[in-house]
Amino acid sequence: MSGASSSTWRNWAGNVTARPVREVSPASVAELADAVRRAAEDGLKVKAVGTGHSFTTAAATDGVLIRPDLLTGIREIDRTAMTVTVEAGTPLKRLNTVLAREGLSLTNMGDIMEQTVAGATSTGTHGTGRDSASIAAQITALELITADGSLLKCSAEENPEVFAAARIGLGALGVVSALTFAVEPEFLLTAREEPMTFDKVTSEFDALHAENEHFEFYWFPHTGNCNTKRNNRSAGPAAPPGRVSGWIEDEFMSNGLFQVVCSLGRAVPATIPAIAKVSSRALSARTYTDIPYKVFTSPRRVRFVEMEYAVPREAVVAALREVRALVERSNLRVSFPVEVRTAPADDIALSTASGRDTAYIAVHMYKGTPYQAYFTAVERIMTAHAGRPHWGKVHTRDAEYFAEAYPRFGEFTALRDRLDPDRLFGNAYLRRVLGD
């Protein structure tokens, strides 16, 4: 097993730090199980960390921090069952590129692919979809190292009560060692990006959602402008963005220039509304066709802090209009667009879409900019609409709130009591969101 050293761990956004007693990088499931057993013998808590793309302290520990760097790779591609089994630390980027090489694809994915498969699924990472759900909803089986160091395999047929919860397990039930995903033959998506006014997109939201397999939009605060994106399956041919035009949109506009704009806004907040009016008109309409991961995901190099809430889909337009009214009547200065996506109901106990058709409203602030006032005000709106916060993004909710928000919350906590009665995998975050 590589490494037992300790240093300060930081998440991607830089808003969370931890100083574990030791860090380990197991290179096999046996080494992972041994690390869990040794931690228990030493009276230390255990947390596995991915690439740090969560904005909460979900993975923070002062005990043993398990790094995923060596527990990576594709174990098996089963073309009969149409599944792929991967080690828990495998980055989504690597999974996507291997699947593409094999002529296969996930059905849906989020908008970045830097995360590990276990980190992304354990916190409920999702994209947008009318019929296709989160990455975790595409899991068909998983392996878990439990508190006694044993390997627990679960699927809809094997340990189904664990499977019902562990696909989005928050690291509370054990350490995921491997995941099996459903895959399908690779297909093409046509993306249609188009500016649209706030009033038009909100008044036509139900139709836009119904008519498109994957619909999302971004609203630019301090303006009446949105940018919409519709992704639908296509017979082809592939027509990816041109190298130059793609670089201008995805790198220069969305990363390079946006970085400069955000830095200026942080230094001189009064400039933000004027900048927003210009930048919200800078992105032009475009259409392109490519394989799924190249359409669903895009580079995100501008660092930020994020809060996202899932609300019943029928409540999203009202909630978003309240957010707009909040920004307009306050002295808040918001340089980051507000993102709106959807997901169908699923059957995972602590999924933000558990048991209900869902829409997501995500708010962001540029790294280093005070975000508490904005997030607190938005959170008040979202909780009034029975919102469920993303497990990996900033929020202030606790176990008492979640017991009301999730009909199957008690099912999850009872399973945790059975699998980890001594809270080997506990930390301050889980104490807050799940209780003791």
Side-chain angles (χ1 to χ4, degrees):
M1 188 183 312
S2 167
S5 61
S6 174
S7 57
T8 300
W9 174 83
R10 282 185 177 77
N11 68 339
W12 177 82
N15 68 314
V16 176
T17 58
R19 282 197 65 85
V21 169
R22 65 174 180 255
E23 295 181 15
V24 294
S25 298
S28 67
V29 175
E31 288 186 3
L32 174 61
D34 184 58
V36 170
R37 278 192 292 268
R38 281 189 54 214
E41 289 165 8
D42 295 343
L44 297 171
K45 303 289 189 189
V46 180
K47 295 310 296 179
V49 68
T51 51
H53 273 267
S54 286
F55 302 91
T56 65
T57 54
T61 187
D62 56 6
V64 176
L65 189 73
I66 295 176
R67 288 190 172 271
D69 315 56
L70 303 178
L71 200 64
T72 67
I74 312 298
R75 263 195 211 175
E76 182 190 17
I77 293 174
D78 184 336
R79 290 182 181 273
T80 303
M82 288 303 281
T83 60
V84 59
T85 301
V86 291
E87 307 289 348
T90 308
L92 283 166
K93 179 182 283 184
R94 182 170 169 192
L95 172 60
N96 283 329
T97 52
V98 170
L99 289 176
R101 202 164 59 229
E102 297 288 333
L104 300 168
S105 178
L106 294 172
T107 298
N108 198 357
M109 58 196 82
D111 56 11
I112 62 168
M113 54 178 178
E114 311 310 312
Q115 316 100 307
T116 62
V117 291
T121 55
S122 294
T123 52
T125 297
H126 62 90
T128 190
R130 180 189 62 204
D131 312 304
S132 53
S134 70
I135 304 176
Q138 297 167 71
I139 296 172
T140 62
L142 62 88
E143 290 178 4
L144 206 58
I145 302 296
T146 56
D148 62 0
S150 61
L151 180 70
L152 182 68
K153 296 185 176 185
C154 52
S155 65
E157 292 77 37
E158 190 176 11
N159 296 304
E161 77 291 351
V162 180
F163 184 67
R167 283 170 287 170
I168 298 179
L170 315 184
L173 306 176
V175 180
V176 175
S177 56
L179 292 161
T180 301
F181 294 97
V183 294
E184 59 178 298
E186 190 174 72
F187 52 95
L188 291 172
L189 284 173
T190 292
R192 182 177 159 201
E193 298 175 6
E194 180 185 10
M196 196 177 286
T197 66
F198 181 94
D199 291 339
K200 182 175 172 64
V201 77
T202 51
S203 64
E204 297 180 10
F205 176 77
D206 288 341
L208 288 163
H209 171 266
E211 290 162 8
N212 295 283
E213 291 173 73
H214 309 273
F215 176 70
E216 64 185 303
F217 70 94
Y218 301 84
W219 165 60
F220 295 83
H222 312 291
T223 80
N225 302 325
C226 296
N227 202 43
T228 64
K229 186 173 182 181
R230 289 167 251 204
N231 297 332
N232 290 289
R233 294 193 184 214
S234 166
R243 187 171 292 179
V244 173
S245 63
W247 179 86
I248 288 171
E249 291 276 346
D250 297 325
E251 286 295 344
F252 179 67
M253 301 289 283
S254 299
N255 285 295
L257 186 61
F258 190 48
Q259 175 83 53
V260 173
V261 164
C262 287
S263 298
L264 174 60
R266 183 173 65 187
V268 191
T271 62
I272 287 175
I275 292 171
K277 287 179 172 62
V278 175
S279 59
S280 68
R281 294 194 185 98
L283 294 171
S284 54
R286 63 172 176 164
T287 300
Y288 54 95
T289 301
D290 214 332
I291 59 174
Y293 84 85
K294 293 186 177 180
V295 174
F296 285 129
T297 69
S298 52
R300 291 275 189 276
R301 294 190 228 290
V302 181
R303 304 219 173 193
F304 53 82
V305 178
E306 180 178 0
M307 180 175 76
E308 180 182 69
Y309 262 82
V311 297
R313 202 181 68 227
E314 63 272 15
V316 69
V317 170
L320 185 64
R321 285 175 175 153
E322 288 173 47
V323 173
R324 184 182 182 184
L326 160 75
V327 172
E328 288 178 347
R329 71 171 180 265
S330 71
N331 58 4
L332 293 168
R333 296 293 176 261
V334 183
S335 59
F336 250 87
V338 174
E339 183 179 24
V340 178
R341 294 177 288 175
T342 68
D346 66 39
D347 64 349
I348 305 171
L350 292 189
S351 165
T352 46
S354 183
R356 73 185 190 193
D357 289 344
T358 293
Y360 298 92
I361 296 177
V363 295
H364 315 67
M365 283 295 247
Y366 182 51
K367 182 184 174 184
T369 306
Y371 62 83
Q372 284 85 353
Y374 178 38
F375 284 13
T376 299
V378 171
E379 189 170 44
R380 201 171 294 128
I381 292 168
M382 298 304 150
T383 55
H385 288 282
R388 298 167 176 171
H390 189 300
W391 296 107
K393 298 176 185 178
V394 175
H395 68 89
T396 66
R397 302 297 89 192
D398 60 15
E400 186 180 1
Y401 182 88
F402 292 124
E404 291 287 320
Y406 286 94
R408 296 170 66 185
F409 187 76
E411 176 188 325
F412 187 96
T413 54
L415 181 65
R416 183 190 186 209
D417 288 342
R418 174 160 75 82
L419 291 179
D420 187 18
D422 300 324
R423 304 296 188 252
L424 178 68
F425 304 112
N427 64 2
Y429 181 73
L430 291 183
R431 205 157 42 246
R432 170 161 71 89
V433 302
L434 297 178
D436 274 327

